[in-house]
């Protein structure tokens, strides 16, 4: 697969006066990252692949999990995740999943499209205080609460058979 990450991704600045409804952990396949609140505006972290990454295979289904921190402003959060499956540097509405709309932890099943572009790409996770919108078109929206974390993941080609078996 292509070993350079696409460029041109929009910024995901949050114009909050303080960090609220922060992301505390993210997991996807073998990627697992716990983080404390990013307390510095714009409440965005580009997580280095040396910290957390994973490889997934086209056509396979994986569990994505995210947890957020309750705080004085928001007891629960609304979360979204985008995967740039076509590696075009844009988080499109068709690449969006919603783990939960009013909770502190949740999961969603993510099937990597069988036609996903092979190689390194970005995954964006966003939280926001519950009661606000955080939908398919909000990958680049400036929020007044929450946090954004971007991760690098690697998409492998479709695995048609188990290489450990003889057919």
């Amino acid at each position: 697969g292509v070993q350079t990450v696409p460029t041109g991704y929009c910024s995901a600045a949050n114009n909050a006066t303080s960090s609220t409804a922060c992301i505390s952990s993210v997991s996807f396949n073998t990627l697992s990252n716990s983080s404390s609140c990013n307390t510095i505006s714009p409440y965005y972290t580009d997580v280095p692949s040396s910290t957390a990454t994973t490889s997934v295979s086209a056509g396979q289904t994986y569990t994505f999990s995210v947890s957020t921190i309750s705080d004085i402003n928001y007891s629960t959060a609304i979360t979204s995740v985008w995967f740039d499956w076509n590696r075009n540097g844009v988080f499109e509405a068709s690449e969006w999943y919603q783990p939960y709309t009013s909770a502190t932890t949740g999961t969603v099943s993510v099937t990597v499209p069988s036609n996903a572009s092979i190689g390194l790409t970005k995954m964006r996770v966003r939280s926001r205080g519950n009661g606000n919108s955080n939908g398919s078109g909000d990958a680049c929206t400036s929020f007044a609460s929450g946090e954004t974390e971007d991760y690098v993941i690697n998409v492998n080609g479709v695995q048609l058979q188990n290489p450990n078996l003889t057919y």
Side-chain angles (χ1 to χ4, degrees):
V2 182
Q3 297 309 307
T4 54
V5 179
T7 58
Y9 291 104
C10 60
S11 66
N14 295 19
N15 61 9
T17 53
S18 64
S19 50
T20 58
C22 294
I23 297 166
S24 57
S25 70
V26 169
S27 66
F28 181 60
N29 193 29
T30 60
L31 181 156
S32 181
N33 188 51
S34 295
S35 57
S36 54
C37 249
N38 179 341
T39 57
I40 302 166
S41 179
Y43 312 107
Y44 166 80
T45 305
D46 192 6
V47 179
S49 55
S50 58
T51 299
T53 189
T54 192
S55 291
V56 294
S57 296
Q60 299 298 307
T61 301
Y62 302 91
T63 299
F64 173 88
S65 301
V66 60
S67 295
T68 48
I69 299 170
S70 294
D71 59 59
I72 194 166
N73 297 302
Y74 296 102
S75 59
T76 61
I78 178 172
T79 60
S80 287
V81 60
W82 291 261
F83 298 87
D84 186 18
W85 298 130
N86 61 5
R87 300 185 68 251
N88 68 349
V90 178
F91 294 113
E92 292 152 326
S94 61
E95 299 172 322
W96 167 79
Y97 304 80
Q98 189 140 62
Y100 54 89
T101 57
S102 183
T104 56
T105 189
T107 63
V108 64
S109 287
V110 175
T111 300
V112 181
S114 57
N115 64 343
S117 294
I118 307 309
L120 299 176
T121 194
K122 286 275 191 171
M123 172 181 86
R124 173 164 290 175
V125 184
R126 300 200 76 190
S127 66
R128 194 175 190 188
N130 70 310
N132 295 296
S133 63
N134 185 358
S136 62
D138 287 323
C140 310
T141 304
S142 181
F143 290 163
S145 60
E147 193 179 6
T148 303
E149 294 181 357
D150 282 355
Y151 293 85
V152 173
I153 63 168
N154 186 40
V155 178
N156 295 317
V158 175
Q159 185 176 329
L160 298 175
Q161 62 186 27
N162 185 333
N164 299 319
L165 300 178
T166 303
Y167 291 88

